[in-house]
Amino acid sequence: MKTVNDFSFANKKALIRVDFNVPLNDAFQITDDTRMRAAIPTIQKILNDGGSCILMSHLGRPKEGPAEKYSLKHLVQHLSNLLGGVEVAFATDCVGTAAEEATAKLGPGQVLLLENLRFHKQEEKGDETFAGALAKLGDIYVNDAFGTAHRAHASTAVIAKFFPGNKCFGFVLSGELASVDKVLHGAEKPFTAIMGGAKVSDKIVILEQLIKKADNIIIGGGMAFTFVKALGGNIGKSLFEEDRIPNALNILETAKQLGVNIYIPLDAVCADNFSNDANRQTCKTSAIPDGWMGLDIGPETEALYAKVIGESKTILWNGPMGVFEMENFAHGTQAAAHAIVEATSKGAYSLIGGGDSVAAINKYHLGEKVSYVSTGGGALLEYIEAGTLPGVEAVNS
Ligand code: AMP
């Protein structure tokens, strides 16, 4: 795996695929610049080498060509601020004359941001001619967009073939890969995977992969009830996917064969409707009364899960333990987050990845107290499922 550290960028133009898909408000102000900040070390390394940076990204989901709302020009000033005042030039198109003229002018130490890649339909189609037009702009291709590395788009994967020997990962992408590889291939035992979230169907493949690696699998969230039901429990009107019963049984059977401990919630905080203000009671998960639904793990489960997490040396967390967006059903998710923090403080390696568990860890301001918070939800899950990603393959091959 080659990273920007393997190259000197002196007098070179680095064409960097970043993930600047940041949220903007109605006044086009950036409301969360995490993704931009993440890319700064890569940009800085190249500038310090005496190279120049041509940055390309998508922003939002433009449907029909250019749209003001999705223009990357709204990011120019903030990017300049993040770079300590380095001037950032802007090209009104990511290919063609505008882009070529702007890159021709670019000297060492300078930065250029290209307009939204997705203003061209060819980007998402992985069009080779379009990838070639982008490739013309730089000498070395750097992929630093982990969040889109699971897409075989022109700028994330196809483009790499135009840079034989001159392609590498930036610090965001290499950091993500190092973290997930540590968990999947170098995990100190016991390795506990905590899986939560809404649906089993979204997590089947990842569970099937993790069962081969983990010592313990902790299950929470709405997906747990399909397991409870598969084992003959009464789950009331809790979230349930009948067609996934065979998958759940298969996972339980495989775990038994492989000697993996699977933990399914013993008790749940139940509600009589899907609302923070609903009536509540704690029930055994196998005996939820009709008309009630489990929306969080109960205290007995919390304690058991905290114990298992506390004894772990490697922890992967994907998905909340309950409907953590509602305060009355957030306790289990918060308890799991604190147990992970505690285990981390005692030397465990913890990776938090995939959508809502990242939202949860950030909500409790615990991001600094775990080992790694992944920036790419879908990409991380696909990497665990498939063992690689198109954007990673393209740079490695
Ligand atoms: P995912 O994107 O699959 O990680 O799912 C996250 C969503 O699952 C969150 O919005 C949670 O509110 C929801 N969720 C977690 N536990 C439950 C539950 N017991 N019943 C319904 N939804 C849940």
Side-chain angles (χ1 to χ4, degrees), residues 196-198 202-203 221-222 225 239 274 294-295 319-325 356:
D202 292 341
K203 307 282 161 90
F225 296 101
L239 211 61
F274 192 79
L295 294 185
M321 296 290 99
V323 184
F324 76 107
E325 300 93 332
D356 280 347

Side-chain angles (χ1 to χ4, degrees), residues 9 24 43 60 76 82 110 130 149 194 237 250 262 297 301 323:
F9 288 84
L24 299 179
I43 299 169
V76 169
L82 290 176
Q110 296 185 324
F130 179 69
I194 308 161
K237 58 175 181 181
N250 185 39
I262 291 219
I297 54 172
T301 309
V323 184

